[in-house]
Amino acid sequence: MAPFRHVAQLASVLLVVGAALGPVPAGSVTQRSGAHAERTAPMTVRHQDSRELAGRRIVLSYPGPTPPPETLEAIREGRAAGVILFGENVTSPEQLAEAVGQLKRAAAEAPHPRPLLLMTDQEGGKVRRLPGAPELSARRTGTAPVPLAAAVESGTGAAGTLTDAGLNVNLAPVLDVYDTPDNFIDHFERSYGQDPTRVGELGSAFLAAQQSQGVAATAKHFPGLGAAARDENTDARPVTLPVPLDQLRTRGEAPYRAAIAAGVRLVMASWAVYPALDPDRPAGFSSTVIQGELRDRLGFRGVTITDALEADALTPYGPTGPRAVAAAAAGMDLILCSARDPQQGQEATTALAAALDSGGLDREAFAAAVARVDALRDGLG
């Protein structure tokens, strides 16, 4: 029966990918649910406590194998949307199961309990936080004898690995279309290839297979890191990618059309600066990029998430608090506090709450972002 199930799953994913390669459907499920969250948000969260609202946009992290008391306390108080896990948080399947169990029990004790977003980077190949599938990197998937089948198998494998560990969000697939061999994104085999249509096709197959198993997918790094040179790593320093607008849209952004049509639940923004769109701010701090390109132009209605808030690309923009506020103002729904320091999440929460109370962040837009995140969490329960 196993071969039959694999063929049936491949067929269902092919239907999704086929739809993804066409125009974004005007009434897709993702669009309707996102629009519904935006319409109902002010009624449901407008008058709630600012610190709790702020926390519901924060993804926490912590060092070592055991969730610390301050992380569990934030979750119990409803001041966390989720937790990202890294290799240092995992020593064995048994230990991970205990840690995840602690996190879930804390979430169940929150004033308004809903499932946590429990996430990691399980791209495949060299970028895997948990042992297990997917074995193939994006590059090897793109060069496999039957690339589409390999992408489906990788997405299915990623879902199985995360589900077995009790996680429900994968920060994958990467949709960057590399332009120069051995550049930043190609060196680590994180790109499906140089053809934006093929990247969109394979990324959509991966995410559709994964999401069919109940694990939300994240397309990254919008609007694309495929032009980054070998040493242009936003984790390490500021990066500017002077890609012409037509090339940025026809290559960098193109795979996102397919992913959005395939129903991708989250999109992660890049921390690079794209002068063709906004010469002054990184993509994740730019409403021109997030609202103008991703939401208005491409029609994404799901959840946006930042890359690591501690990235050195953001050094010119101050400490954690101002970074969190700038990201929220640009339209980022989830703030990824991944420094493995519980204090980072607390500082981001405090800054968002203060900006909300002072009017520095629009309350209606803030409420809509919280509602999108809440809807995602409720859908993964």
Side-chain angles (χ1 to χ4, degrees):
M1 292 297 291
F4 176 79
R5 285 198 301 270
H6 178 77
V7 170
Q9 182 180 44
L10 177 57
S12 65
V13 171
L14 285 173
L15 290 175
V16 174
V17 174
L21 295 179
V24 178
S28 69
V29 173
T30 299
Q31 289 178 314
R32 288 199 303 270
S33 62
H36 178 72
E38 291 172 4
R39 288 194 303 270
T40 60
M43 295 183 290
T44 57
V45 301
R46 177 185 293 155
H47 303 295
Q48 292 184 23
D49 176 73
S50 295
R51 190 165 174 80
E52 181 186 337
L53 287 178
R56 281 155 65 184
R57 297 180 68 169
I58 302 296
V59 177
L60 303 173
S61 62
Y62 60 87
T66 303
E70 55 265 51
T71 297
L72 296 175
E73 179 183 11
I75 295 170
R76 288 192 191 97
E77 293 180 356
R79 293 185 287 104
V83 177
I84 181 171
L85 298 175
F86 293 89
E88 71 177 78
N89 302 126
V90 181
T91 59
S92 70
E94 295 76 18
Q95 168 273 325
L96 179 58
E98 174 58 28
V100 169
Q102 287 183 296
L103 297 170
K104 290 183 175 180
R105 288 191 293 273
E109 297 172 14
H112 307 285
R114 49 175 40 93
L116 280 176
L117 302 175
L118 295 171
M119 61 185 67
T120 195
D121 297 274
Q122 196 75 5
E123 298 174 14
K126 299 177 181 179
V127 184
R128 287 180 291 168
R129 309 301 187 194
L130 304 178
E135 300 290 337
L136 291 184
S137 66
R139 181 204 287 173
R140 291 180 61 199
T141 300
T143 59
V146 187
L148 194 59
V152 171
E153 183 175 357
S154 290
T156 303
T161 298
L162 268 66
T163 299
D164 289 347
L167 278 58
N168 55 15
V169 178
N170 192 5
L171 298 178
V174 171
L175 296 186
D176 298 328
V177 184
Y178 80 92
D179 59 4
T180 304
D182 202 41
N183 71 357
F184 171 67
I185 209 68
D186 180 54
H187 180 79
F188 296 101
E189 302 186 6
R190 299 175 71 195
S191 173
Y192 289 110
Q194 295 180 287
D195 178 359
T197 299
R198 174 49 64 93
V199 171
E201 178 185 50
L202 298 182
S204 296
F206 180 105
L207 73 89
Q210 177 181 279
Q211 291 189 162
S212 73
Q213 304 301 307
V215 176
T218 307
K220 62 185 186 184
H221 309 81
F222 187 83
L225 285 174
R230 178 69 183 85
D231 64 345
E232 291 185 311
N233 180 358
T234 57
D235 286 343
R237 67 177 180 87
V239 173
T240 296
L241 299 179
V243 181
L245 182 59
D246 60 344
Q247 181 179 332
L248 190 62
R249 286 176 168 171
T250 57
R251 287 182 61 80
E253 294 183 12
Y256 289 88
R257 282 196 178 277
I260 291 167
V264 68
R265 305 298 301 278
L266 302 97
V267 170
M268 176 182 286
S270 160
W271 285 138
V273 175
Y274 300 82
L277 292 171
D278 187 333
D280 300 319
R281 292 175 292 272
F285 283 173
S286 172
S287 61
T288 300
V289 176
I290 304 306
Q291 299 290 358
E293 290 292 300
L294 181 59
R295 293 215 185 274
D296 295 343
R297 183 171 177 273
L298 296 184
F300 181 61
R301 296 292 179 265
V303 171
T304 53
I305 182 170
T306 71
D307 205 339
L309 196 65
E310 67 277 7
D312 286 345
L314 305 183
T315 299
Y317 300 90
T320 294
R323 296 181 188 190
V325 172
M332 303 307 301
D333 297 328
L334 283 171
I335 312 299
L336 185 60
C337 297
S338 52
R340 279 79 107 190
D341 178 3
Q343 184 65 30
Q344 183 192 30
Q346 294 174 18
E347 292 175 2
T349 299
T350 299
L352 289 179
L356 184 58
D357 287 336
S358 70
L361 289 173
D362 179 78
R363 200 167 188 91
E364 297 290 329
F366 203 103
V370 171
R372 283 189 293 269
V373 173
D374 286 352
L376 175 64
R377 294 172 65 184
D378 289 340
L380 293 175

